[in-house]
Amino acid sequence: MLMRKKMICLVLSGGLVAASLAPASTVFAAQIKEKNGASSTESTAATDTTTTAPAAAAEAANHGVITDYTLEKTGTAENQSGMYVNYDALIYGSGSGGKLVFENGSSSDEVVDFDALGDYYILRNDSFDNNVNAAGLFAADGTQLIPYEAAIIEWLDTSYSYTDDTAPHRFVEVTYSDGLADDSSEAYFYVYSGYFSTAPSEDDVLYKGHGRIFDTETRQFVPNIELTNPALDVYECGDSIVIGDGNVVTMYDANGNELVKSGEGYYNYASSCVGNGIFMIENGTGYVVYDDTGKELYTSENIVSLVSSTSGYLRQYTDDSLYIILDSTGKQVLPGKYDYVSEESCGYITVGLEDGSGQIIKADGTVIAEGKDAYSFYSIIPGYYYTEEGSTYSLYGPSGLVKDGISSYPSNLCVYDGTTALVVNTGAEMTLPGSTVYDVTYGLVTVKDDVSGLYGLYNLLTGAELLPCEYDDIDATDYHVYAQKGDNWDIYSINPVYAK
């Protein structure tokens, strides 16, 4: 049946990366120390491997292969000394609290903690010890979408991309505390040493509670759905919601209306029954595939599963123990049979051939790369892969081999050696104005000019200079670039351009 991960989450955000919740004063002080620590080591030419890449991957998974970036100035935070950027947002303040700066340059009220949720922010206006339900959700422009009344705010689980961090999202699960629970039988979530989870244990602080689903598109809660059982498996499926309750799996639309319901007692594939706009159940006689409107697309008596699909591709097991690749209507996409079929994103599929070799192949049949086996390829973002060959690397893109014999690890498409960088779209080389380089997101880097000591922003996909080296500092989050001159910070949104 559908299996929901036991989430070990920040008390604030319910994020997917486990992290302990420090007291508020420690949280903001640690961020300042972290920023100062980074500045003190800028003389080295080593790459800062911490990157905010998941947002670009999420957009790529939803729209296609990124070919370029543009920047749009959205605001300026003026005359604000003491501002700094952590890995999620522009902030000013210290001690027991701080303020978050939105993309238009306005700021929040004083908060004790915050986290980013894609292009949204979760702010907490009171400590957990004082008030469990003190988290709210804000849009990037500062519009408050959910009042400071929630305990946990997190994306609905998805199962159709590399990780939940890199999948496109629409729905948010919001958990509320209804007071302390006497035992695990009435507990909805628990807290242990600053961690949240929705899998209560007798040894932890137990809370009664319930959950609701918030739609970021309509900016309203989905009607007719209230979550009261922590054992429910709740998934996002394109523009719909799938809820597993034991062996019964139901799909709902964004208005809370029931679209599809499986028969009770039938085994349902685990997370692979939910894709990006595609939903599959076993009905006792075969496998039925639906789109996210509940329309039946395809029925098969053979074993069918999704290819962790962002585009709706299926793999069907054949009588000779091989796989064929189908689209959501059951039509065979590629003529061959494969021993192995793996992660698919934007039409790029990793396959293993019967002779043991491997390929990256597009759904139109174009072979992007070939290797000794199907495990030779490492995906960077949709459409881009690398292979390791001894002490060097080869980079492949949508048109095939970009460059081989690369001496530097092609982390997040940030491929360079000293001040020489690779223009990813063409394989040509470009000279950067400095050797101190930091990843921003896939193909974007900040560079510190070796002469002036000032920062600029460069696009390694095309070789373009996006911001000249005239800033005291440039930092970025998943969706925004912050460029500092004195006490002013210019704020830009990062806008990917996708292949047609």
Side-chain angles (χ1 to χ4, degrees):
M1 64 181 179
L2 286 165
M3 296 298 293
R4 187 179 187 185
K5 294 183 293 297
K6 293 185 176 181
M7 305 292 290
I8 303 296
C9 311
L10 275 173
V11 169
L12 170 64
S13 68
L16 296 175
V17 178
S20 60
L21 178 68
S25 58
T26 308
V27 172
F28 280 90
Q31 290 163 351
I32 296 173
K33 181 179 179 181
E34 185 174 59
K35 177 63 180 175
N36 292 339
S39 299
S40 67
T41 59
E42 283 179 352
S43 59
T44 68
T47 302
D48 178 1
T49 57
T50 302
T51 176
T52 58
E59 292 300 307
N62 203 21
H63 297 286
V65 176
I66 298 174
T67 60
D68 198 359
Y69 289 100
T70 62
L71 297 183
E72 179 184 357
K73 188 174 180 180
T74 57
T76 299
E78 298 181 339
N79 302 319
Q80 299 292 345
S81 61
M83 282 193 177
Y84 60 96
V85 179
N86 76 346
Y87 297 121
D88 295 316
L90 179 64
I91 304 164
Y92 64 95
S94 60
S96 62
K99 296 183 179 182
L100 181 142
V101 179
F102 299 111
E103 67 177 10
N104 56 12
S106 65
S107 61
S108 71
D109 296 329
E110 192 91 357
V111 295
V112 301
D113 205 354
F114 78 96
D115 196 7
L117 189 72
D119 201 18
Y120 300 88
Y121 296 105
I122 306 166
L123 305 182
R124 190 174 185 88
N125 69 353
D126 200 355
S127 69
F128 179 78
D129 290 337
N130 289 333
N131 183 9
V132 177
N133 293 326
L137 183 68
F138 289 75
D141 63 2
T143 302
Q144 187 163 14
L145 305 177
I146 297 176
Y148 290 114
E149 297 174 352
I152 310 172
I153 299 175
E154 58 184 339
W155 290 123
L156 276 192
D157 284 350
T158 61
S159 59
Y160 44 79
S161 191
Y162 307 107
T163 68
D164 285 337
D165 285 334
T166 63
H169 286 283
R170 173 175 173 176
F171 298 103
V172 174
E173 183 173 353
V174 185
T175 300
Y176 299 89
S177 168
D178 295 328
L180 291 172
D182 294 328
D183 54 50
S184 61
S185 65
E186 64 175 12
Y188 191 79
F189 65 93
Y190 74 87
V191 176
Y192 175 73
S193 297
Y195 292 84
F196 265 137
S197 178
T198 52
S201 173
E202 293 284 0
D203 298 329
D204 307 309
V205 181
L206 308 178
Y207 289 87
K208 294 181 288 187
H210 66 280
R212 300 183 67 189
I213 298 174
F214 183 82
D215 185 348
T216 60
E217 185 171 301
T218 64
R219 296 193 169 185
Q220 296 179 347
F221 282 97
V222 176
N224 306 322
I225 296 178
E226 181 169 320
L227 308 174
T228 58
N229 180 0
L232 293 176
D233 304 312
V234 188
Y235 286 88
E236 179 172 317
C237 178
D239 291 323
S240 297
I241 300 155
V242 175
I243 299 178
D245 185 1
N247 283 330
V248 177
V249 183
T250 308
M251 174 188 279
Y252 300 89
D253 65 16
N255 294 315
N257 299 313
E258 183 179 302
L259 299 176
V260 178
K261 189 171 186 177
S262 71
E264 186 171 357
Y266 296 122
Y267 175 81
N268 296 283
Y269 271 129
S271 60
S272 61
C273 79
V274 182
N276 184 10
I278 187 171
F279 170 53
M280 183 183 63
I281 60 174
E282 183 184 359
N283 64 6
T285 59
Y287 299 85
V288 185
V289 178
Y290 302 86
D291 66 14
D292 60 359
T293 68
K295 178 183 177 182
E296 183 176 321
L297 300 176
Y298 169 63
T299 300
S300 173
E301 295 181 359
N302 296 319
I303 298 175
V304 178
S305 61
L306 300 182
V307 192
S308 299
S309 181
T310 59
S311 302
Y313 292 104
L314 307 161
R315 58 186 175 191
Q316 180 176 293
Y317 201 58
T318 65
D319 293 337
D320 47 0
S321 301
L322 297 172
Y323 292 100
I324 59 174
I325 300 172
L326 312 174
D327 65 18
S328 59
T329 68
K331 179 181 177 181
Q332 188 168 348
V333 176
L334 299 172
K337 294 183 179 182
Y338 304 98
D339 183 63
Y340 174 86
V341 177
S342 185
E343 184 71 49
E344 177 275 324
S345 191
C346 300
Y348 294 80
I349 305 171
T350 303
V351 299
L353 306 182
E354 291 184 75
D355 63 5
S357 62
Q359 294 178 338
I360 302 292
I361 188 168
K362 294 176 68 173
D364 64 5
T366 304
V367 176
I368 300 301
E370 296 183 282
K372 62 182 179 180
D373 56 47
Y375 309 99
S376 303
F377 309 104
Y378 301 88
S379 176
I380 304 176
I381 59 172
Y384 291 91
Y385 302 82
Y386 74 88
T387 59
E388 185 175 359
E389 299 159 358
S391 59
T392 63
Y393 304 88
S394 295
L395 178 66
Y396 297 87
S399 300
L401 179 67
V402 176
K403 190 176 181 63
D404 56 11
I406 300 172
S407 60
S408 301
Y409 172 71
S411 169
N412 303 321
L413 299 185
C414 182
V415 184
Y416 60 90
D417 183 11
T419 59
T420 301
L422 180 68
V423 179
V424 176
N425 284 355
T426 64
E429 292 183 343
M430 63 178 291
T431 300
L432 299 172
S435 57
T436 303
V437 182
Y438 297 95
D439 293 358
V440 174
T441 188
Y442 293 113
L444 292 185
V445 292
T446 58
V447 180
K448 183 179 181 181
D449 189 291
D450 286 341
V451 177
S452 68
L454 299 177
Y455 289 87
L457 182 71
Y458 287 80
N459 179 1
L460 297 189
L461 291 175
T462 63
E465 177 190 77
L466 296 180
L467 294 176
C469 289
E470 57 184 39
Y471 294 91
D472 299 325
D473 194 9
I474 293 179
D475 265 309
T477 67
D478 285 0
Y479 292 88
H480 296 94
V481 171
Y482 303 96
Q484 179 190 14
K485 283 185 180 181
D487 289 339
N488 295 338
W489 288 81
D490 291 332
I491 304 169
Y492 298 86
S493 63
I494 301 174
N495 303 311
V497 178
Y498 302 98
K500 296 181 179 178

